[in-house]
């Protein structure tokens, strides 16, 4: 059969063009979808970061007064020349100032 409308070389070229175009369209759709997902994740992470920053700012502000008072008290105690070293140690132990502050509840926010 000799059909003049059938040309295998033309069909192959058209087939290649269709495949290339379909791959390009799939790539564009995939990129668009991934961009949308990344934008959504970025927005969620940004909101969480703002919440964390606000929380830590509130905690830092609330702790600045007491910590400043304690540091001032310790500076006065340290500059007092009339006290002997043993008296300072006993005083710090009695007031509990020698114990460290437990900040482990805040560790998960840093």
């Amino acid at each position: 059969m000799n059909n003049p409308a059938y040309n295998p070389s033309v069909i192959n070229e058209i087939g290649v063009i269709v495949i290339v175009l379909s791959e390009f369209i799939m790539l564009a759709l995939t990129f668009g979808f991934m961009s949308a997902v990344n934008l959504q994740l970025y927005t969620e992470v940004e909101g969480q970061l703002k919440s964390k920053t606000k929380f830590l700012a509130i905690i830092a502000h609330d702790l600045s007064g007491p910590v400043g008072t304690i540091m001032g008290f310790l500076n006065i105690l340290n500059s007092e020349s009339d006290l002997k070293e043993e008296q300072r140690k006993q005083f710090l132990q009695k007031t509990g100032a020698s114990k460290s502050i437990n900040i482990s509840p805040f560790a998960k926010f840093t």
Side-chain angles (χ1 to χ4, degrees):
M1 261 187 162
N2 193 0
N3 188 348
Y6 176 71
N7 187 347
S9 64
V10 173
I11 292 175
N12 287 337
E13 290 172 4
I14 292 173
V16 169
I17 291 171
V18 168
I19 290 173
V20 168
L21 285 176
S22 66
E23 291 293 326
F24 179 73
I25 290 170
M26 289 302 295
L27 180 64
L29 290 174
T30 303
F31 179 73
F33 175 73
M34 290 176 63
S35 296
V37 169
N38 283 341
L39 180 62
Q40 181 181 2
L41 289 174
Y42 175 78
T43 304
E44 289 175 12
V45 168
E46 187 178 37
Q48 291 174 358
L49 183 60
K50 284 181 182 178
S51 296
K52 174 184 157 185
T53 303
K54 184 176 180 180
F55 173 76
L56 291 176
I58 290 169
I59 294 298
H61 179 265
D62 289 350
L63 289 177
S64 64
V67 170
T69 303
I70 292 169
M71 293 302 293
F73 172 74
L74 292 175
N75 284 335
I76 291 172
L77 181 64
N78 193 30
S79 65
E80 186 64 41
S81 60
D82 293 341
L83 293 176
K84 296 178 183 175
E85 188 64 32
E86 187 60 35
Q87 289 174 321
R88 284 189 187 136
K89 286 182 183 178
Q90 287 176 356
F91 186 74
L92 289 173
Q93 286 174 349
K94 286 181 183 178
T95 59
S98 63
K99 297 178 180 169
S100 63
I101 298 172
N102 183 9
I103 60 168
S104 61
F106 302 110
K108 66 181 177 182
F109 296 108
T110 59

